[in-house]
Amino acid sequence: LAPVGLALPRDGETRLDALARWQREPRVVAVVSSDASEPTLTAASLLRAEVAHGRVPTPLLTASAAARHVSRVTPWLFRVAPRGDAMARAMVAHARDVLGARTIAVAYAADVFGREALDATLGLARRGAASIVATVAFDEAMHDLPLAAAQLVVAAPDAVLVFSGDATLSAQLVRELRAAGGRGAVVGAPAIGGLAAWGDEFAGVSYLSEADAQDTATDFARRLVRRLPPTPGAAAPFVNSYAARAYDAARLVAEATASAGRDRAALRTRIARGLD
C-alpha cells in the first residue's frame, strides 16, 4: 500500500474542533477516533450537518465507541468495536459460569454506553441469565461514587458488573467500593484493564477482553481475538485492543484509498464494503 499521511489535532485544539476543521481540508480523507460513545455521537452531528448543507463529510471510524446507537446515526460513521450488548452477555456469563455468582449488581456510567449496557443486562435477566439485585448509575463528575459504592454494598451481590469506558472512573469506583466494605467480585469493561497499577486494592477484579465479547468488526481485530486470553485478571497482561482496532481502521482506510483515491464518497463505500 502507498503510505497514508497522518494529520493530528493542533496544540490546544479539541478533537471536535479538529474534526470540524478537517471537513474543509481535502487532503484529509477519513478520521480514526479513539473517543467513547457519547463524544462520538456529538462528532456525528458535524457529519450530519455537512450532509444537510450538501457537502461530502469525512468518513469517521471510531475504535472505541461501543454503543449500538452509534452505528445508526449516520452512514458516514463506522463503529469498529464490540457492541455494549455483546460485552453485557460476556460479563454476565463470566460472573455466572466462572465466578459462580448467583446475584449481580450493575454499576453503569450515566452515558449512552452505560445505559445501553444496562438495558442489555436487564434483558438477560428477564430471560433468566442473571438475577439482578441492584442497578446503580454514576457520572464523570465522580461526586456520586461514594453513594454508588454504598448502594452496592447494601445490595450485597455476589458480583458487581461495571460498565464504563473510563479506566480512571472505574478504578475510583472500585476503590470506593472497597472502602465501603465491599469485598465481592468485580467484572469490568475492557477499559479497566488499562490501569497501570494492579495491586491489592484490585484483588477480585477481572476485566473483559476482546475474546470475551466475540463481536469485533474488522479483520485484524478478529485475528487478534484468537490470540487473546479470556478475561485476564491481575496477573495477566493488559492487551491494548483499542490501539489494535485503531490500527485496523487506519489500514482499512489505506486499502480503501488504494482503489477509491481521495474521493470521500467512493472511500466511504469502499470502507463499508471492507467492514461487511
Side-chain angles (χ1 to χ4, degrees):
L1 297 174
V4 175
L6 183 65
L8 297 173
R10 296 166 178 164
D11 288 344
E13 185 178 41
T14 68
R15 289 174 178 169
L16 195 62
D17 288 341
L19 182 60
R21 176 169 57 83
W22 288 333
Q23 304 300 320
R24 303 287 178 269
E25 294 187 16
R27 71 187 184 95
V28 177
V29 296
V31 176
V32 176
S33 169
S34 60
D35 278 326
S37 299
E38 202 82 33
T40 296
L41 290 172
T42 302
S45 64
L46 287 176
L47 307 182
R48 296 175 68 180
E50 291 294 297
V51 173
H53 287 90
R55 297 187 290 265
V56 179
T58 56
L60 176 63
L61 295 86
T62 169
S64 302
R68 293 166 292 169
H69 182 65
V70 168
S71 299
R72 300 193 290 265
V73 172
T74 169
W76 293 89
L77 191 156
F78 299 92
R79 183 187 50 77
V80 187
R83 295 194 313 268
D85 56 335
M87 294 183 186
R89 288 194 302 272
M91 290 165 68
V92 167
H94 179 72
R96 183 193 60 208
D97 302 336
V98 178
L99 302 177
R102 290 174 295 179
T103 59
I104 63 174
V106 180
Y108 63 100
D111 56 22
V112 64
F113 163 63
R115 288 188 292 268
E116 285 194 2
L118 171 66
D119 288 344
T121 310
L122 293 174
L124 292 168
R126 287 192 292 271
R127 294 192 290 274
S131 177
I132 299 176
V133 295
T135 60
V136 177
F138 56 94
D139 62 29
E140 292 181 358
M142 295 191 182
H143 66 272
D144 56 355
L145 289 187
L147 175 60
Q151 292 172 328
L152 293 169
V153 170
V154 169
D158 295 328
V160 176
L161 309 187
V162 180
F163 290 104
S164 172
D166 187 316
T168 302
L169 191 61
S170 300
Q172 187 60 30
L173 178 64
V174 172
R175 292 188 182 103
E176 295 288 353
L177 185 60
R178 297 298 188 239
R183 295 292 179 266
V186 176
V187 184
I192 200 171
L195 295 169
W198 282 94
D200 292 341
E201 64 180 336
F202 293 108
V205 178
S206 55
Y207 66 92
L208 199 66
S209 74
E210 298 292 292
D212 300 288
Q214 292 295 309
D215 173 44
T216 302
T218 57
D219 292 339
F220 182 83
R222 287 192 188 101
R223 292 198 300 273
L224 175 73
V225 162
R226 295 196 291 269
R227 301 176 60 183
L228 290 181
T231 313
F238 171 62
V239 180
N240 193 340
S241 53
Y242 297 108
R245 290 198 298 269
Y247 170 86
D248 209 18
R251 193 194 63 173
L252 181 59
V253 171
E255 291 175 348
T257 57
S259 58
R262 295 192 177 194
D263 184 306
R264 289 179 178 176
L267 190 70
R268 193 213 71 83
T269 301
R270 177 64 180 78
I271 291 172
R273 189 163 69 244
L275 286 174
D276 289 340

